Amino acid sequence: MGAVEYTHLGRSGLSVSRLCLGTMNLGWKTGEDDSHEIMDRALAEGVNFFDTANVYGFEAGKGRTEEVLGSWFARGGERRDKTVLATKVYGSMTDWPNDTFLSARNLVRACEASLRRLQTDWIDLYQFHHVDLRTPWEEVWQACETLVGQGKVLYVGSSNHAAWQIVAANEAAARRHFTGLVSEQSHYNLLTRHVELEVLPAAQRYGVGIIPWSPLAQGLLAGVLGDQAGDRRRLESNRERIEAHRPALQAYEDACREWGLAPADVGLAWVLHQPAVTAPIVGPRTMEQFEGSLRALDVRLDDAQLARLDEVFPGYRPAPMEYAW
């Protein structure tokens, strides 16, 4: 297995592993005991960066995933001290109007609720799960300053934000002499590269670390052609996506086969090679899937291989060069 390396989260001094353990499946697709085993294994391998959200739990109930992390922390053994814990706020937890989005009220109360479910005194990285265009950044930062001042939150990040929103957020924070955003979770993989236009350049300019979600495009980059079978492939929506991208996926899997590498390892390694990226999120349902993600840490793609992947899945130049002289 590959040795886990560490890097700073954006411009902060916080050291995080180059892989981030996504916990979205834990507590509902993966049982509590198996979830604990995966998290123990991650920490044993050196993966210290765990990501969750207050709404995760889905069929088992919103908040269930945070509860599973909380019961894991409660087992002791320095689990909480060794873990860089990230959670997210935005989505509705109830039908009441103030239990959603990024108002000061919801930010503070949702944080307190997450702390209770997580059985911890602090959240290392508190992230806005989506942009809230109706709440001014001054209100958002006032609430975050309160949480940071109380020691309940250490760093703040965003998710699914456009470049101009990242800029607006950090400029507003600077006016208040507040740290602002240190990270951004973006949808980024070989198939989905739109963030290269403006989000990545803005993030690099402002020292915001990129944490890609769905680095394997919901399994499409893990090897879906031929005789392989898996839960995701059987989904009708994925079959349609496979057909829509079949020529590129065939060229991709042919290249991986020539290089003697598994497609999943190549797809994850490609994300790790991108200079703006801090750590892609891997969201295993099983121990086997987690162990597979570690193999990507051993993959070093050379310039010729990276160029070939760009030919198969063309990316974007930073705006405005992509569309102007």
Side-chain angles (χ1 to χ4, degrees):
M1 297 296 181
V4 174
E5 298 177 352
Y6 299 89
T7 188
H8 284 174
L9 179 62
R11 67 186 183 282
S12 79
L14 183 66
S15 293
V16 296
S17 50
R18 291 297 321 274
L19 287 181
C20 178
L21 179 68
T23 64
M24 187 172 70
N25 291 314
L26 306 188
W28 66 295
K29 285 192 174 181
T30 305
E32 184 165 343
D33 290 343
D34 289 341
S35 297
H36 286 184
E37 289 183 9
I38 290 172
M39 291 187 284
D40 278 336
R41 179 63 183 278
L43 214 54
E45 294 289 346
V47 176
N48 74 335
F49 192 15
F50 290 15
D51 175 73
T52 190
N54 61 350
V55 295
Y56 291 169
F58 305 101
E59 295 173 7
K62 294 178 180 180
R64 177 57 184 153
T65 299
E66 285 188 334
E67 291 174 351
V68 169
L69 268 78
S71 63
W72 182 70
F73 290 140
R75 295 173 63 185
E78 298 184 309
R79 287 175 172 84
R80 179 63 191 95
D81 291 333
K82 291 179 179 179
T83 301
V84 175
L85 174 63
T87 193
K88 298 186 283 292
V89 58
Y90 175 87
S92 176
M93 295 295 288
T94 74
D95 294 333
W96 288 92
N98 284 314
D99 289 344
T100 187
F101 305 135
L102 303 181
S103 69
R105 173 188 167 117
N106 190 48
L107 283 172
V108 171
R109 291 182 61 81
C111 179
E112 292 170 348
S114 285
L115 290 171
R116 289 192 296 271
R117 287 188 292 268
L118 290 162
Q119 300 190 51
T120 185
D121 295 326
W122 83 99
I123 293 165
D124 295 289
L125 178 64
Y126 201 40
Q127 303 163 107
F128 312 135
H129 210 161
H130 209 286
V131 66
D132 181 355
L133 296 175
R134 295 187 177 183
T135 303
W137 282 112
E138 288 74 18
E139 178 179 345
V140 171
W141 290 135
Q142 180 184 28
C144 290
E145 288 163 8
T146 297
L147 293 171
V148 170
Q150 293 172 342
K152 296 175 181 177
V153 168
L154 301 185
Y155 301 91
V156 182
S158 60
S159 179
N160 303 309
H161 281 49
W164 72 267
Q165 292 155 353
I166 293 171
V167 172
N170 273 359
E171 291 295 334
R175 291 193 295 271
R176 302 177 65 90
H177 306 288
F178 188 64
T179 304
L181 303 174
V182 299
S183 65
E184 156 64 19
Q185 279 195 30
S186 288
H187 190 193
Y188 188 34
N189 54 58
L190 273 166
L191 269 171
T192 306
R193 300 178 60 169
H194 304 88
V195 292
E196 293 173 348
L197 282 164
E198 298 196 17
V199 172
L200 300 193
Q204 289 179 294
R205 169 64 178 82
Y206 281 84
V208 173
I210 296 294
I211 308 170
W213 57 267
S214 194
L216 295 179
Q218 294 181 299
L220 261 67
L221 296 170
V224 292
L225 305 181
D227 297 328
Q228 298 97 330
D231 291 340
R232 292 185 185 275
R233 188 172 176 235
R234 285 194 291 268
L235 294 174
E236 184 64 33
S237 59
N238 248 20
R239 287 203 294 270
E240 293 175 358
R241 294 175 66 218
I242 289 169
E243 293 309 315
H245 298 285
R246 180 173 288 276
L249 291 174
Q250 187 65 66
Y252 169 68
E253 294 190 19
D254 288 345
C256 294
R257 193 174 301 108
E258 288 179 27
W259 301 334
L261 297 170
D265 298 346
V266 172
L268 195 53
W270 179 86
V271 176
L272 284 163
H273 276 68
Q274 305 313 303
V277 169
T278 295
I281 297 173
V282 295
R285 296 190 305 279
T286 65
M287 184 70 76
E288 182 182 10
Q289 289 177 347
F290 172 71
E291 291 173 345
S293 67
L294 295 174
R295 293 195 302 267
L297 298 172
D298 287 329
V299 177
R300 296 292 182 268
L301 301 173
D302 59 32
D303 290 343
Q305 290 171 314
L306 291 170
R308 184 167 176 183
L309 292 173
D310 282 335
E311 291 177 2
V312 176
F313 301 110
Y316 301 92
R317 291 179 296 168
M321 282 72 77
E322 175 63 28
Y323 47 78
W325 55 269

